[in-house]
Amino acid sequence: MSAYVALKHLHMTAAYLTVTLLLGRLMLDAMGIAGWRQTPMRWVPHLNDTVLLAAAIGLLGVGGWNPLEQSWLAVKLALLCGYICAGVFALKPSRGWRARFVAAVAALVQVILIICLATTKPGLF
Ligand code: HEM
């Protein structure tokens, strides 16, 4: 298996895990199980997201992708910032439920758009 294919598999696995782990934490909070913050669920998603981004940087290096040339990649990066901000907000216990719900929906919509962009790679501008 080439380094590129290995990095792509790693990136995709971490990508689907980030969605699963976000959904899992949102569901635990919705069920009133805030104690997950004292378990490995607190740091495992950060570890996974680090792997996701490291593999992404690897793909850029090995594959020669350039966000300044591929518009889908530039939009993906912008959505990534939105996904991180919305995800962090959605998991803040100090915020109200309504605002957290809106943030959770925003995070999920953005990560779905990220995956759609990655699979279709459209020329956007
Ligand atoms: C939450 C963040 C991200 C998610 C969920 C995600 C998801 C994905 C998925 C599912 C694929 C595979 C698409 C396919 O089926 O071919 C992919 C490919 C790719 N991703 Fe990401 N990604 C994320 C962040 C990033 C970042 C930050 C970069 C770099 C700036 C990046 C660069 C790439 C590249 C270059 C590919 C193309 C690989 C190929 O088709 O050969 N990704 N991404």
Side-chain angles (χ1 to χ4, degrees):
M1 194 193 299
S2 72
Y4 187 85
V5 174
L7 281 170
K8 187 170 169 176
H9 279 307
L10 186 64
H11 184 66
M12 288 177 69
T13 305
Y16 292 115
L17 259 178
T18 193
V19 181
T20 309
L21 289 167
L22 176 65
L23 276 174
R25 286 173 293 166
L26 290 171
M27 279 166 61
L28 286 169
D29 270 350
M31 291 187 296
I33 309 173
W36 64 262
R37 290 177 176 80
Q38 278 78 51
T39 73
M41 267 301 257
R42 184 182 178 87
W43 55 265
V44 168
H46 297 303
L47 180 65
N48 179 65
D49 290 346
T50 304
V51 170
L52 174 69
L53 295 181
I57 292 167
L59 284 173
L60 297 192
V62 179
W65 296 99
N66 182 352
L68 297 175
E69 286 170 9
Q70 277 89 27
S71 54
W72 66 272
L73 202 47
V75 176
K76 197 174 152 170
L77 274 174
L79 287 168
L80 173 71
C81 297
Y83 169 62
I84 293 170
C85 294
V88 166
F89 192 101
L91 291 169
K92 272 206 186 320
S94 55
R95 303 290 180 165
W97 278 108
R98 204 168 301 158
R100 289 181 66 188
F101 180 78
V102 172
V105 171
L108 291 170
V109 167
Q110 288 180 96
V111 79
I112 288 167
L113 285 174
I114 287 174
I115 293 173
C116 289
L117 282 176
T119 47
T120 57
K121 303 182 183 55
L124 297 169
F125 45 82

